[in-house]
Amino acid sequence: MTDDDFTVTPYAVQGDVDYERVLDQFGADELTEAERERFPEPLHPLIKRGIFYGGRDVEAYLDAIDEDEQVSIVTGRGPSGPMHIGHVFPLYLAKYLQDRTGAHVYIPISDDEKYFAKDQDFDDIQGWAKDNITEIMAVGFDPEKTRIVVDSADADVIYPWAAKFAKRYTQSTVNATYGDPDNVGLSFYPAVQATHLLLPQLVHGRHRTIVPIAVDQDPHIRLCRDVAAKEDYDVHKPSALLSRFFPQLKGDGGKMSSSDQNPTIYLSDDRETVREKIQTYAFSGGQTSLEEHREKGGDPDVDVAYQLLYYFFEEDDAKVEELAAEYRSGELLTGELKNYAADKVSDFLEQHQERKAALGDFHEEISEYTLTDEERATLTEDLLY
């Protein structure tokens, strides 16, 4: 959608986003307090604090969990650069759900889409795909229940299904959803995305699937749900869990990105680099002088260091509330809040980096996450050869 004040599409996010208006325009539902409380205990901060704030058919997914039925999660990555902290929070949410429900997790790597959408060589995209997959494996998913599917490498199973789904899309529908595509690759990509989102059911049979994703990606889900409703295949329409955008360091309501010139915290950053970036670039909700800050206090609602903690990096609810209260009162200074946030982000990154360093040979590691021969046979059983 494009508003006078902001833009939210799968390929562009600009301005100070009105999240409630986005849900209304997309026709999605706000996540209720009752729904949040039904997620597995202990509630993840991303759920409890309303970072994931909207969705589609969330109740049906939670019902399946309550009935101890098989469930799945789909959350992907478009590899066009190094991964930053905003890329991984849906992945860590997926791991949390997998740990508590035994869910299958499918992680499509859309190297083809990034090649269509970005001014990069295909070899560069492939290099980033390998790098990004390594970061994903470092999250610590259960290899037996996790499948990483790369569009170019797994075209033999992706393309036949995408071709079937593509016939259900019209160019006018694609144009109305995404705008005029720059090339035929992007015109076709919604059919590939539908394959991604339905893949767990195509492999394991009809069951509930949820897609934790930033709200700008909801059009992919919406079109897939339309196709799933029309097809003769025995599948549920995938549920969606829609998040707010991870705050960019400079503030202003946009989302963190690795494809522009704004400062970003990457998964590879060391402690000193994280501290320097947060101290230098993180938008402050404090006052312009020490005396004024002590007198008037700061605003945690716009302070990016606080937002990083609230979104993901401080699990202790009491500590989050304490930091906000002390900042508002002027007792906690902006520099002190930034130092605390830098330490928490660095602690998280060091643990992630340790798991990444412990991985072995890439080809041996990725083989644990690829589709099995039996799963591939299920997906291709109707093919000519």
Side-chain angles (χ1 to χ4, degrees):
M1 65 171 290
T2 299
D3 189 272
D4 291 340
D5 302 317
F6 63 90
T7 297
V8 176
T9 76
Y11 300 111
V13 176
Q14 297 173 343
D16 193 4
V17 177
D18 184 328
Y19 287 101
E20 284 67 34
R21 198 184 310 173
V22 172
L23 288 186
D24 184 60
Q25 291 292 320
F26 285 176
D29 300 315
E30 187 172 358
L31 198 63
T32 67
E33 185 66 28
E35 287 171 332
R36 283 195 288 270
E37 291 176 354
R38 290 184 61 196
F39 278 84
E41 295 285 350
L43 287 180
H44 196 285
L46 290 166
I47 300 293
K48 181 167 41 180
R49 298 174 189 165
I51 310 307
F52 280 90
Y53 78 110
R56 297 179 184 276
D57 281 350
V58 174
E59 283 277 3
Y61 190 81
L62 294 171
D63 288 344
I65 292 176
D66 288 345
E67 295 297 324
D68 201 26
E69 298 175 2
Q70 177 61 63
V71 293
S72 291
I73 305 159
V74 179
T75 183
R77 168 70 185 138
S80 61
M83 291 180 68
H84 57 63
I85 55 176
H87 290 137
V88 293
F89 75 92
L91 293 164
Y92 276 91
L93 179 70
K95 174 175 164 48
Y96 147 83
L97 288 171
Q98 183 182 66
D99 289 345
R100 285 154 182 79
T101 67
H104 292 291
V105 174
Y106 277 68
I107 306 171
I109 307 298
S110 52
D111 54 345
D112 51 350
E113 182 213 17
K114 289 304 177 184
Y115 179 65
F116 300 145
K118 300 287 185 179
D119 186 19
Q120 293 187 25
D121 292 335
F122 195 69
D123 288 346
D124 291 338
I125 298 287
Q126 292 279 281
W128 286 124
K130 182 176 180 180
D131 172 87
N132 291 182
I133 290 169
T134 305
E135 300 285 13
I136 290 167
M137 290 189 293
V139 172
F141 291 105
D142 178 359
E144 291 188 6
K145 292 203 166 188
T146 306
R147 296 292 175 260
I148 298 174
V149 181
V150 182
D151 284 349
S152 63
D154 294 299
D156 59 323
V157 296
I158 296 293
Y159 178 78
W161 285 100
K164 293 176 182 180
F165 298 141
K167 195 171 183 179
R168 298 292 184 171
Y169 291 109
T170 65
Q171 190 62 49
S172 61
T173 297
V174 173
N175 291 353
T177 305
Y178 301 103
D180 250 347
D182 290 337
N183 51 63
V184 295
L186 287 176
S187 290
F188 184 75
Y189 183 72
V192 178
Q193 182 72 281
T195 306
H196 293 164
L197 301 181
L198 295 174
L199 203 56
Q201 296 187 75
L202 299 178
V203 173
H204 304 288
R206 180 184 175 96
H207 64 277
R208 291 293 176 180
T209 301
I210 202 164
V211 187
I213 202 164
V215 70
D216 60 326
Q217 301 299 303
D218 179 68
H220 293 316
I221 310 248
R222 193 164 69 248
L223 289 191
C224 174
R225 286 168 57 85
D226 289 345
V227 166
K230 295 174 184 176
E231 283 294 344
D232 296 328
Y233 306 110
D234 189 19
V235 296
H236 286 297
K237 293 188 289 187
S239 301
L241 195 55
L242 306 174
S243 80
R244 302 172 189 272
F245 300 121
F246 209 76
Q248 55 183 337
L249 289 179
K250 69 173 187 177
D252 88 2
K255 72 172 182 176
M256 188 171 284
S257 172
S258 58
S259 59
D260 56 30
Q261 300 304 308
N262 292 321
T264 298
I265 299 174
Y266 295 103
L267 299 186
S268 58
D269 283 348
D270 60 24
R271 186 173 291 269
E272 181 179 347
T273 301
V274 171
R275 186 175 302 279
E276 180 181 359
K277 286 181 176 179
I278 289 179
Q279 285 287 358
T280 304
Y281 300 111
F283 183 82
S284 170
Q287 306 299 332
T288 56
S289 70
L290 174 61
E291 293 76 15
E292 188 179 11
H293 185 86
R294 292 295 193 196
E295 178 186 352
K296 298 180 179 178
D299 182 359
D301 293 334
V302 300
D303 191 282
V304 169
Y306 177 80
Q307 292 302 310
L308 291 174
L309 296 166
Y310 184 84
Y311 268 58
F312 189 67
F313 293 103
E314 177 54 75
E315 294 186 7
D316 187 332
D317 293 330
K319 186 64 177 179
V320 165
E321 293 176 6
E322 175 188 320
L323 290 168
E326 290 181 354
Y327 198 53
R328 288 191 179 98
S329 73
E331 178 183 352
L332 181 66
L333 301 178
T334 294
E336 294 171 334
L337 180 58
K338 286 186 174 185
N339 278 333
Y340 186 86
D343 283 339
K344 297 297 286 189
V345 173
S346 297
D347 290 346
F348 169 84
L349 289 180
E350 287 179 355
Q351 293 174 22
H352 180 90
Q353 291 162 5
E354 286 174 6
R355 290 191 297 272
K356 182 180 177 182
L359 295 173
D361 176 76
F362 175 81
H363 294 288
E364 291 182 6
E365 294 285 349
I366 189 63
S367 66
E368 296 188 44
Y369 294 90
T370 55
L371 293 164
T372 66
D373 290 344
E374 182 180 357
E375 290 163 350
R376 300 183 82 87
T378 298
L379 290 166
T380 60
E381 61 185 357
D382 293 330
L383 298 185
L384 185 59
Y385 297 111

